[in-house]
Amino acid sequence: SCADGEQIGSGWTGPVMKLDSSKLEAALAQGRARFDAVALPGLLGALAAPSRSGATAGQLLCMAHALLVPGGVVVGHLENSFALRRAASLRGLAQMVRAALRPGVVGSAQACTRALVRAGFVEPECYYVQPSLAAPMGLIPCDPVAARAQFLRAVRSAQGSYSRPAFVARLMIAHLGLGGMQQQELFFWASRPC
């Protein structure tokens, strides 16, 4: 839905567009560069294959870019296609393989950042959501050095919550810089250049 002046966060108001795949063309037909923010909740990962409207994740980001005024912000979240929990089922494992083999699939922090830049956005930022989007407690930067340090701290601080083998496995995953694979969701934002 579209709402001019909709409340966002603590006290900021401005024209905002929350897109879903059925409203893409209609939003563009309303005019270009009208919105201060465009929200893409869960859509990039859902568009791993072209949607009913035929849009891919990259095209969706380009449409969001076209709808933003200079300095406007795109914000959204998506599932981490490479979360280790996916490997526990055949369906999830198949999704991981598809995400790894298909160019243009936005299912990782790096792929999300690259897609944002290709769509013309600047200053893209991507974060792992901890523990989940339903009950977020923190955002962990997807920068490899910062993420590794945070995941090592998190595993060590919760050592008493795990069995010895589970603790060692989690610590090894974090030590290898793969802690982000334990997070199910990613959150992102980027700006349209001024």
Side-chain angles (χ1 to χ4, degrees), residues 44-191:
L44 296 185
L47 294 180
S51 66
R52 280 178 284 156
S53 68
T56 64
Q59 290 167 332
L60 175 64
L61 287 173
C62 288
M63 289 179 196
H65 187 275
L67 290 169
L68 288 168
V69 296
V73 177
V74 64
V75 60
H77 62 83
L78 64 142
E79 288 187 29
N80 182 358
S81 295
F82 299 100
L84 290 174
R85 289 185 183 175
R86 288 180 173 278
S89 72
L90 287 176
R91 182 176 181 218
L93 191 56
Q95 289 172 339
M96 288 175 80
V97 170
R98 275 195 307 273
L101 296 177
R102 291 177 62 197
V105 170
V106 179
S108 69
Q110 296 77 15
C112 182
T113 302
R114 284 191 305 268
L116 287 163
V117 170
R118 275 194 308 271
F121 290 100
V122 295
E123 300 174 356
E125 295 188 36
C126 196
Y127 297 88
Y128 298 107
V129 180
Q130 189 175 28
S132 72
L133 214 64
M137 303 234 358
L139 297 176
I140 300 167
C142 290
D143 170 73
V145 175
R148 183 177 181 273
Q150 175 58 32
F151 288 123
L152 282 169
R153 268 192 303 276
V155 169
R156 287 181 180 132
S157 69
Q159 180 176 358
S161 302
Y162 306 120
S163 67
R164 183 74 178 152
F167 170 73
V168 170
R170 283 178 169 81
L171 188 61
M172 184 172 56
I173 288 168
H175 220 304
L176 293 172
L178 302 174
M181 293 179 76
Q182 296 181 75
Q183 304 309 126
Q184 296 278 74
E185 294 143 327
L186 301 166
F187 179 80
F188 67 89
W189 68 74
S191 301

